[in-house]
Every structure is written in structure tokens, then in C-alpha cells.
Amino acid sequence: MTLLKAGRRRTAPRPAAGAPPWLLVVAALCASVAAIPLVYLVVRAADAGLAELVDTLLRERVLRLTLNSVGLAVAVTASCLVLGTAVAWVISRIRMPGGPTWLLVTALPLAVPSYLAAYGWMVAIPSFNGFFASWLVMTAVCLPYVALPVAAALRGASGDLEAVARTLGSGPVGAFRAATWPRVRPAATAGALLVALYTLSDFGAVSMLRFQTLTWGINSAYGASFDRNQAALLALVLVVLALTVVAGERKTRGQVTATATRTVPMHTVRRRWLPVVAVLVLASPVGGVFVPVAGLVSKLIEAETIRGIDVPRLLGAIGATLGLAVAGAFVAVILALPIAVLAARYRGRIVNAIESVGYLGHALPGIVVGLSLVFFSLAVLPTLYQTVVMLVFAYCVLFMSKAIGSARSGLAAVPEGLIDVSRSLGLSPLATWWRVIGRIAAPAIGVGALLVGIAIMKELPATLLLRPTGISTLAVELWNRTAVLEFGSAAPYAAALVLLAAVPAFVLSGIRGFAKEEE
């Protein structure tokens, strides 16, 4: 019985002083990968000089681009925070026909890239552009980032305080604000952080919808070969905005102490209010999925589109997308594992610093990473400029944090007792990792790899800047055709991208189910 309890006891983090030196060094080297683009971008901006930096920042065009980026990010984040919280409350507190299906419907927009959603809206409404169009599309795509974590937090929130508030005369909204909101606020602010970063870094949707933001300005400045310094300075401005958002979220982040809770009873909505509730929940899936898919299908069924498909080019784009996704996911997981092992087993300032650097790529927009690696490769490693190696490296910088978080959770769940028993039976640390730790953590590591792979399939700006000549992904082909308003010829690539991204999504759900069985 004692051995059984030991086997169930999960690993508790140990002080960083107990970590093997080789693990600290390897984890630090892997984490430094994420810092290379930012460091080099700062060096490049410093070379431009203070006078050029001030002159660039005070230009009317730069101020307008900055205000457009900030304004769009604030508007999208605010609308997602309000609507996402409302949607989460509905699917968690109201009994509706279909039950858990509504949660799946709410998550659907996560599978659609913003530029693909913009493509569908432009097919339906060719004159659809500007701030409102960008706000609508980005809100529809990003709303699940708030709705899903808040819904999960609501399931664990205590119903006792909310019930007390109702008995004291508070209405449903007042009781939620006073008793439940403080408990779900950390989940809501974390989701709002993802929305703000996604909106600031978006390039494809705002460019298609002709709303000029910093990402658009960076791409335009880079395209003008005589003004590369301005591109670097604009990229630095965007990074400062992103890091400011991250710092603000960390400062306002709250922590909730787990307590014994009473399940909140589900409310039965009145029949007359059911259409209103359905519209609220379906607004994001309709705007982020159904309208784009409808536009895509309308173009695919046109006879001209079917006859005009360049099959070899389409197959080449599918092969390039799959190959880059597999390569990027594999390398990202290899780099993430030492950081995840260190973070799961040890604690301390050094460990926190290494892990934070590893997550740095999460705050760097794709166009900034792509631009900085263009400068870096030309100045330091010219032989790697426009090669698959540099493109895969960019993917690792951007998406390694997804693999770190997933792998860390899996490794932290490995029972300490099993590791002790394995070592007591004479197995080496490597054999223990392979036969015990690796097998238990494999589902979580696999989830991280699939998340990275899906993100790579949808990535656009870094791919546009770094892809080798002659290699084109589905996202790039879709962008190139949509940029010149060739919606019909873009449809096959959009359809292939949706179908291709759906495959790892199904596998992902299977791995998560396996992980739950293992637990």
C-alpha cells in the first residue's frame, strides 16, 4: 500500500541548486534560441542610431500605424473579453439542447487562420475592408481564446458565494460579478493576453482587409530595399507593444486558492430567450468558420475553378506544408524537452529565467521573427539565407513555447515513486527516462508536437520572408492569389489547408483521450 501511494505521488519541484549542471546548460542553450531574433533586432536598431530612431518614431505615418495597431488590439480584446465571458457563462450555466456540443462549436474558430476567415468574407462581400471589417474578423477568430478558459474556470468555481449573493437580492449579473468573476478573472485575463498578442501580430487578415497596421508597415518597409532600417525600427516598436501587453497581464494576473465547491445548478432558459442565447453562442463560429467555408465552397463549385486547378502546384504546396510542419514540430520538441524537464523537476530564479526566455517567442509576432532572421542570416550566416534550415529555425522560435507548456505538464505528472523504484532496480537515468518517464509523458509531448505542427501549417508572414525560392506552402499560395483578388484560384489551396489542418486536430483529440485514460 505504501508503494502504491508512492507511485501515485506526483513529482514535487526541487530547488534549482539540485539540478544537474549539464541540464541547466543544455536548457539555457535551447532557450537562447528564442532570444536570438530579439537580440539581433535590438542590435540592428541600435546601429541605426538614436537620431534615426527618434525621427522614425515621430513620423506621422508611423504614429498612425501604431495607433491603428493599438486601437484594433484594444477593440478586439475588449469585445472578446465581454462576449467570450458571456458565451462561457451560457455554455456553463444554461441547459440547452445539444449539451456539450455547444462547447465544441465554440472552439471551431481556432482551426481557421485569420487570413482564411478574411478571404471568406471578401468572397461574400468584395467591398469588405477597413477597421470594422478587421475588428469583426479578428473578434470572430479570437473569441474562443477567452471563452474556453473561462468556461473551464466556471466549472471549478464555487457556487456557494453566488447562491448567497442571489439570496441577498442580487440579480444573475450582479451575483456573477461579485462572487464568481474574481475566481475566473485569471483565466479571462490570460485569454485576453492571447487575443491581444494575436491581434498585434496579425498580418494576413489586416493586409487582405486593407487596414494598415504595424505589421503591414513592416512588410512594406522591408519590400523597399532602400529602407530596411525603418523595417527594423518598426519591428522593434511592435515588439515593445507585445512585451508591454505581456508585462501588463502578469501584473494584473490573479491567483485563486482552490476550495471545496458546490456545483452550480444549470438554469433552463425560457423558450422565448433561446434564440437570443443561440445567436450569442453562434456569432463567433458563424463569423469565423461558416461564412469563410461558405465562400470557399461557392468558389470551389464554380466550373472555372475546377478546370483551372494546377494539380502539380497544389500537390507541391501540400507536400511542402506537410514536410515543414513535421520538421518544425520535431525540432521544436527536441529544443523544448530540456527546458520542460528543468521546469517540471526544479524551481528557482534560474529555472524561471530559462523558462521565461523559452516562452519569449510567444510574444514575438511572426513578421518580426522573419524580418530579424533575414537580417541575422545575411549578416552572420549568409549561406543559410532563404534555406529550409532558417525557416524551420523561425518556426521553432515562434512555436517552441507550445511544446514547452505541454511537455512540462506531462513530465510534472509523472509519479515520483515510479522514478525511485526504477532507479532502485538498477536502471540508469537514460533507461529510466526511456522506459518510465518518456512513456508516461509521451501523450503530452505528442500533443505539443501536434500543436506546433498545426501552427506551422497556418503560419504566413515568417514563411513569406524566409521560404527558399521554389518552395511554397498552402498559406503562401492562398496569400499570393488573394492579394491580387484571384479568389477562384485561391479556393483549392484554402480547401486543402482546412482539410490538412483537420487531420492533426482529430489525432490531437485521440491523444488527449489516451492521456486521460492513462491518468
Side-chain angles (χ1 to χ4, degrees), residues 236-261:
L236 193 59
V237 171
L238 187 57
V239 169
V240 170
L241 289 177
L243 294 179
T244 301
V245 170
V246 174
E249 188 274 338
R250 290 199 172 214
K251 187 175 181 179
T252 59
R253 180 187 301 172
Q255 293 184 348
V256 176
T257 303
T259 58
T261 63

Side-chain angles (χ1 to χ4, degrees), residues 210-442:
R210 300 170 193 169
F211 183 66
Q212 297 181 2
T213 61
L214 280 170
T215 54
W216 178 89
I218 292 168
N219 186 66
S220 299
Y222 173 75
S225 57
F226 57 88
D227 203 8
R228 297 290 175 86
N229 279 342
Q230 184 180 0
L233 296 176
L234 288 176
L236 193 59
V237 171
L238 187 57
V239 169
V240 170
L241 289 177
L243 294 179
T244 301
V245 170
V246 174
E249 188 274 338
R250 290 199 172 214
K251 187 175 181 179
T252 59
R253 180 187 301 172
Q255 293 184 348
V256 176
T257 303
T259 58
T261 63
R262 177 172 65 86
T263 302
V264 180
M266 300 287 285
H267 303 287
T268 301
V269 65
R270 295 181 181 179
R271 187 177 297 274
R272 64 179 180 179
W273 290 105
L274 190 59
V276 177
V277 172
V279 168
L280 177 64
V281 177
L282 291 175
S284 175
V286 168
V289 179
F290 297 125
V291 170
V293 170
L296 178 61
V297 171
S298 69
K299 287 298 179 182
L300 283 175
I301 62 178
E302 293 179 0
E304 293 79 4
T305 299
I306 301 298
R307 290 196 300 265
I309 295 178
D310 188 343
V311 176
R313 191 176 185 88
L314 177 61
L315 293 178
I318 292 174
T321 302
L322 277 174
L324 289 171
V326 171
F330 177 78
V331 178
V333 168
I334 295 298
L335 292 174
L337 276 177
I339 305 172
V341 171
L342 184 68
R345 300 291 177 185
Y346 304 95
R347 65 175 183 271
R349 292 183 179 180
I350 297 178
V351 175
N352 291 338
I354 293 175
E355 187 182 14
S356 297
V357 173
Y359 278 104
L360 186 61
H362 183 71
L364 297 179
I367 194 168
V368 171
V369 172
L371 181 65
S372 61
L373 290 181
V374 166
F375 294 151
F376 176 78
S377 59
L378 289 175
V380 181
L381 299 169
T383 57
L384 295 181
Y385 176 64
Q386 284 192 323
T387 63
V388 172
V389 173
M390 189 57 66
L391 182 56
V392 169
F393 181 81
Y395 291 148
C396 292
V397 172
L398 287 168
F399 307 123
M400 184 171 62
S401 59
K402 300 179 183 296
I404 293 174
S406 182
R408 178 187 175 180
S409 63
L411 291 167
V414 177
E416 179 74 18
L418 293 182
I419 300 175
D420 295 338
V421 170
S422 174
R423 297 301 304 276
S424 67
L425 293 176
L427 293 181
S428 65
L430 182 60
T432 299
W433 165 263
W434 182 255
R435 300 181 62 178
V436 179
I437 301 175
R439 291 188 179 185
I440 296 176

Side-chain angles (χ1 to χ4, degrees), residues 121-139:
W121 277 94
M122 292 178 68
V123 170
I125 310 175
S127 61
F128 191 68
N129 58 67
F131 174 83
F132 176 78
S134 301
W135 168 81
L136 180 63
V137 169
M138 296 302 297
T139 299

Side-chain angles (χ1 to χ4, degrees), residues 24-46:
L24 286 170
V25 173
V26 172
L29 290 175
C30 292
S32 65
V33 167
I36 290 177
L38 179 58
V39 171
Y40 191 79
L41 190 64
V42 171
V43 172
R44 174 85 184 203

Side-chain angles (χ1 to χ4, degrees), residues 481-516:
R481 284 160 174 74
T482 308
V484 293
L485 303 181
E486 294 180 359
F487 299 127
S489 62
Y493 297 95
L497 180 60
V498 171
L499 294 176
L500 205 61
V503 174
F506 282 115
V507 177
L508 183 62
S509 62
I511 288 181
R512 283 180 172 172
F514 172 74
K516 290 179 181 178

